[in-house]
Amino acid sequence: MAQYSSLKRAQLSIQYLHTNSTTHEFLFGALAELVDNSRDASAKRMDIYTVHSPLVRGERILCFLDDGEGMTPEESSKVIQFGYSSKRARDAQSIGQYGNGLKSGAMRIGKDFVLFTKR
């Protein structure tokens, strides 16, 4: 491996993150991405609500709660990586096969993203 140490490595630029966060021109598209993830997890019920908290900037937390299948710790760490999608192998016609929707949708809606899963 030492022979390759002088090669340039791919990096993620801050401009890419900004561009990706503006992928969803309208808030509705960003919300739809997050709702679609619940549908993909076979959720039969989904609640979207806000919580007032003076401890956070803006004093509001937007919550998405569903009864879907959940994710393993490994799946949840992968799903927050840009470009990761488990849908590529299942159905090439499905929405979300590029692995950016959750991340870009969440960045369009707010500054922070916290993921809790039940599996």
Side-chain angles (χ1 to χ4, degrees):
M1 293 301 283
Q3 65 205 33
Y4 300 114
S5 64
S6 65
L7 294 177
K8 297 275 185 192
R9 294 190 171 100
Q11 296 179 356
L12 190 63
S13 73
I14 198 74
Q15 289 87 0
Y16 173 79
L17 293 176
H18 173 72
T19 300
N20 203 51
S21 72
T22 57
T23 298
H24 298 287
E25 190 173 328
F26 299 106
L27 182 60
F28 178 76
L31 293 169
E33 287 284 358
L34 301 178
V35 170
D36 184 60
N37 287 336
S38 292
R39 184 187 59 84
D40 290 340
S42 303
K44 304 240 185 310
R45 179 187 171 117
M46 180 175 197
D47 296 320
I48 303 172
Y49 58 94
T50 60
V51 174
H52 180 263
S53 174
L55 300 175
V56 297
R57 184 178 24 193
E59 297 188 2
R60 292 273 178 208
I61 300 171
L62 180 61
C63 303
F64 294 77
L65 178 66
D66 67 46
D67 64 353
E69 299 166 352
M71 292 179 275
T72 65
E74 294 79 22
E75 290 169 326
S76 61
S77 68
K78 286 181 181 177
V79 78
I80 59 172
Q81 295 174 13
F82 283 97
Y84 172 80
S85 176
S86 62
K87 298 178 194 178
R88 287 188 183 126
R90 290 191 305 185
D91 181 8
Q93 301 300 316
S94 69
I95 296 172
Q97 61 184 329
Y98 303 107
N100 287 323
L102 174 68
K103 283 71 74 175
S104 63
M107 286 192 299
R108 173 64 174 92
I109 294 168
K111 300 280 184 202
D112 296 305
F113 172 74
V114 179
L115 173 69
F116 296 98
T117 185
K118 67 179 180 183
R119 225 194 294 169

